[in-house]
Amino acid sequence: MTFREVETLFHEFGHGLQHMLTTANVGDVAGINGVEWDAVELPSQFMENWCYDKETVYGFAKHYETGEPLPEEMFEKLNEQKTFAAGLMACRQLYFGMLDMELHSNFDPTAVENGGETIFDVQKRVASKYIPHTMPLDIDRFLCAFNHIFGGGYAAGYYSYKWAE
Protein backbone atom coordinates (compact mmCIF):
# COMPACT_ATOMS: atom_id res chain seq x y z
CA MET A 1 0.00 0.00 0.00
CA THR A 2 1.10 3.55 -0.56
CA PHE A 3 1.37 5.83 2.44
CA ARG A 4 -1.65 7.79 1.19
CA GLU A 5 -3.65 4.56 1.08
CA VAL A 6 -2.59 3.82 4.66
CA GLU A 7 -3.75 7.29 5.70
CA THR A 8 -7.08 6.67 3.97
CA LEU A 9 -7.41 3.30 5.71
CA PHE A 10 -6.87 4.92 9.11
CA HIS A 11 -9.27 7.74 8.17
CA GLU A 12 -12.06 5.37 7.17
CA PHE A 13 -11.38 3.18 10.20
CA GLY A 14 -12.13 6.26 12.32
CA HIS A 15 -15.57 6.44 10.70
CA GLY A 16 -15.98 2.72 11.27
CA LEU A 17 -15.11 3.07 14.96
CA GLN A 18 -17.68 5.81 15.33
CA HIS A 19 -20.32 3.42 14.02
CA MET A 20 -19.11 0.31 15.87
CA LEU A 21 -18.70 1.96 19.25
CA THR A 22 -22.02 3.77 19.32
CA THR A 23 -24.23 3.04 22.31
CA ALA A 24 -27.38 4.37 20.65
CA ASN A 25 -30.02 1.76 19.91
CA VAL A 26 -31.89 3.87 17.35
CA GLY A 27 -30.31 3.80 13.91
CA ASP A 28 -31.26 7.39 13.11
CA VAL A 29 -28.93 8.66 15.83
CA ALA A 30 -26.31 5.87 15.92
CA GLY A 31 -22.76 6.20 14.57
CA ILE A 32 -22.44 9.40 12.57
CA ASN A 33 -26.20 9.73 12.14
CA GLY A 34 -27.43 12.72 14.09
CA VAL A 35 -23.88 13.99 14.72
CA GLU A 36 -23.42 17.68 13.92
CA TRP A 37 -21.32 18.31 10.82
CA ASP A 38 -18.80 20.13 12.98
CA ALA A 39 -17.88 16.78 14.55
CA VAL A 40 -18.51 14.17 11.88
CA GLU A 41 -14.85 14.11 10.70
CA LEU A 42 -13.20 14.26 14.14
CA PRO A 43 -12.67 10.50 14.70
CA SER A 44 -11.36 9.95 11.18
CA GLN A 45 -8.99 12.91 11.30
CA PHE A 46 -7.82 11.78 14.74
CA MET A 47 -7.07 8.28 13.44
CA GLU A 48 -4.93 9.71 10.62
CA ASN A 49 -2.54 11.06 13.23
CA TRP A 50 -1.49 7.50 14.08
CA CYS A 51 0.20 7.35 10.67
CA TYR A 52 2.82 9.72 12.09
CA ASP A 53 3.33 7.91 15.39
CA LYS A 54 6.63 6.04 15.25
CA GLU A 55 5.60 3.07 17.38
CA THR A 56 2.42 2.59 15.36
CA VAL A 57 4.14 2.88 11.98
CA TYR A 58 6.91 0.48 12.93
CA GLY A 59 4.26 -1.99 14.03
CA PHE A 60 3.27 -2.54 10.40
CA ALA A 61 5.71 -0.78 8.03
CA LYS A 62 7.85 -3.63 6.86
CA HIS A 63 9.12 -4.71 3.44
CA TYR A 64 6.64 -7.18 1.97
CA GLU A 65 9.34 -9.70 0.95
CA THR A 66 12.18 -9.29 3.44
CA GLY A 67 10.29 -8.07 6.51
CA GLU A 68 12.89 -5.33 6.89
CA PRO A 69 11.50 -2.33 8.81
CA LEU A 70 10.98 1.05 7.24
CA PRO A 71 14.32 2.94 7.23
CA GLU A 72 14.51 5.69 9.87
CA GLU A 73 15.21 8.40 7.27
CA MET A 74 12.07 7.38 5.35
CA PHE A 75 9.95 7.75 8.49
CA GLU A 76 11.45 11.22 9.06
CA LYS A 77 10.61 12.19 5.46
CA LEU A 78 7.02 11.02 5.97
CA ASN A 79 6.77 13.29 8.99
CA GLU A 80 8.34 16.21 7.13
CA GLN A 81 6.01 15.88 4.14
CA LYS A 82 3.00 16.29 6.41
CA THR A 83 3.74 20.00 6.82
CA PHE A 84 5.26 20.63 3.38
CA ALA A 85 3.07 23.19 1.55
CA ALA A 86 0.60 23.09 4.45
CA GLY A 87 -0.49 26.66 3.70
CA LEU A 88 -1.42 25.75 0.13
CA MET A 89 -3.33 22.70 1.35
CA ALA A 90 -5.18 24.81 3.91
CA CYS A 91 -6.22 27.25 1.16
CA ARG A 92 -7.36 24.32 -0.98
CA GLN A 93 -9.55 22.90 1.79
CA LEU A 94 -10.99 26.35 2.54
CA TYR A 95 -11.73 26.72 -1.17
CA PHE A 96 -13.57 23.38 -1.31
CA GLY A 97 -15.57 24.19 1.81
CA MET A 98 -16.54 27.68 0.69
CA LEU A 99 -17.35 26.52 -2.84
CA ASP A 100 -19.61 23.85 -1.35
CA MET A 101 -21.35 26.41 0.87
CA GLU A 102 -21.73 28.91 -1.95
CA LEU A 103 -23.26 26.36 -4.31
CA HIS A 104 -25.67 25.01 -1.69
CA SER A 105 -26.57 28.34 -0.09
CA ASN A 106 -26.55 31.06 -2.74
CA PHE A 107 -26.33 29.58 -6.21
CA ASP A 108 -29.55 29.80 -8.23
CA PRO A 109 -29.46 27.48 -11.25
CA THR A 110 -32.55 29.15 -12.72
CA ALA A 111 -30.72 32.49 -12.87
CA VAL A 112 -28.36 31.09 -15.51
CA GLU A 113 -31.13 31.38 -18.10
CA ASN A 114 -31.23 35.14 -17.45
CA GLY A 115 -27.48 35.67 -17.67
CA GLY A 116 -26.67 34.77 -14.07
CA GLU A 117 -23.61 32.86 -12.92
CA THR A 118 -23.05 29.26 -13.94
CA ILE A 119 -21.56 26.82 -11.44
CA PHE A 120 -18.26 27.31 -13.23
CA ASP A 121 -18.51 31.08 -12.75
CA VAL A 122 -19.10 30.47 -9.04
CA GLN A 123 -16.13 28.12 -8.97
CA LYS A 124 -13.84 30.79 -10.46
CA ARG A 125 -15.17 33.52 -8.18
CA VAL A 126 -14.56 31.45 -5.05
CA ALA A 127 -11.20 30.23 -6.37
CA SER A 128 -10.05 33.82 -6.92
CA LYS A 129 -10.38 34.41 -3.19
CA TYR A 130 -8.93 31.16 -1.80
CA ILE A 131 -6.58 29.80 -4.46
CA PRO A 132 -5.67 32.72 -6.76
CA HIS A 133 -2.30 31.06 -7.38
CA THR A 134 -3.95 28.01 -9.02
CA MET A 135 -7.10 29.26 -10.70
CA PRO A 136 -9.23 26.68 -12.54
CA LEU A 137 -8.74 26.62 -16.29
CA ASP A 138 -11.67 27.37 -18.60
CA ILE A 139 -11.84 23.67 -19.50
CA ASP A 140 -11.83 22.61 -15.83
CA ARG A 141 -14.81 20.41 -14.97
CA PHE A 142 -13.74 19.35 -11.48
CA LEU A 143 -17.21 20.19 -10.16
CA CYS A 144 -18.71 17.45 -12.32
CA ALA A 145 -16.75 14.90 -10.28
CA PHE A 146 -16.76 16.53 -6.83
CA ASN A 147 -18.74 13.63 -5.41
CA HIS A 148 -18.45 14.69 -1.78
CA ILE A 149 -20.73 17.67 -2.25
CA PHE A 150 -23.09 16.34 -4.92
CA GLY A 151 -23.38 12.61 -4.38
CA GLY A 152 -21.50 11.72 -1.24
CA GLY A 153 -23.71 13.11 1.47
CA TYR A 154 -21.57 16.14 2.28
CA ALA A 155 -23.79 18.78 0.70
CA ALA A 156 -22.97 22.03 2.53
CA GLY A 157 -20.88 19.96 4.93
CA TYR A 158 -17.47 19.74 3.30
CA TYR A 159 -16.17 22.37 5.73
CA SER A 160 -16.15 19.64 8.41
CA TYR A 161 -12.85 18.30 7.05
CA LYS A 162 -11.04 21.55 7.77
CA TRP A 163 -12.95 22.13 10.99
CA ALA A 164 -11.90 18.72 12.31
CA GLU A 165 -8.21 19.48 11.84
Side-chain angles (χ1 to χ4, degrees):
M1 294 177 75
T2 67
F3 185 72
R4 183 67 190 121
E5 290 169 336
V6 171
E7 276 185 313
T8 300
L9 178 65
F10 276 70
H11 178 98
E12 298 305 333
F13 188 67
H15 288 305
L17 283 175
Q18 195 167 10
H19 283 287
M20 290 183 285
L21 298 176
T22 187
T23 57
N25 294 324
V26 178
D28 288 344
V29 294
I32 64 169
N33 297 323
V35 173
E36 293 294 330
W37 276 108
D38 293 358
V40 78
E41 286 297 325
L42 286 172
S44 53
Q45 297 275 8
F46 175 81
M47 289 301 296
E48 286 182 30
N49 291 322
W50 291 108
C51 294
Y52 299 94
D53 176 71
K54 191 171 188 175
E55 188 175 337
T56 302
V57 170
Y58 278 91
F60 67 83
K62 301 187 184 345
H63 191 276
Y64 77 103
E65 289 180 335
T66 66
E68 187 176 335
L70 182 73
E72 181 76 27
E73 60 273 5
M74 184 69 76
F75 178 74
E76 294 304 320
K77 286 182 180 181
L78 286 173
N79 278 312
E80 291 170 3
Q81 66 83 33
K82 184 178 182 186
T83 56
F84 179 77
L88 292 173
M89 291 306 293
C91 289
R92 181 177 180 263
Q93 287 299 96
L94 290 170
Y95 160 62
F96 288 160
M98 291 306 297
L99 179 59
D100 178 29
M101 284 292 194
E102 185 68 21
L103 289 172
H104 286 94
S105 301
N106 300 318
F107 176 65
D108 179 7
T110 62
V112 174
E113 297 168 4
N114 298 318
E117 285 186 309
T118 69
I119 60 170
F120 305 112
D121 295 331
V122 174
Q123 178 186 21
K124 285 185 178 178
R125 179 169 46 80
V126 175
S128 70
K129 182 173 182 179
Y130 292 94
I131 55 166
H133 48 280
T134 54
M135 289 292 292
L137 301 174
D138 288 336
I139 60 170
D140 184 296
R141 292 300 179 258
F142 164 75
L143 283 175
C144 297
F146 195 8
N147 291 335
H148 271 72
I149 67 169
F150 293 119
Y154 278 78
Y158 193 88
Y159 74 91
S160 64
Y161 281 101
K162 192 66 189 156
W163 185 258
E165 287 181 13

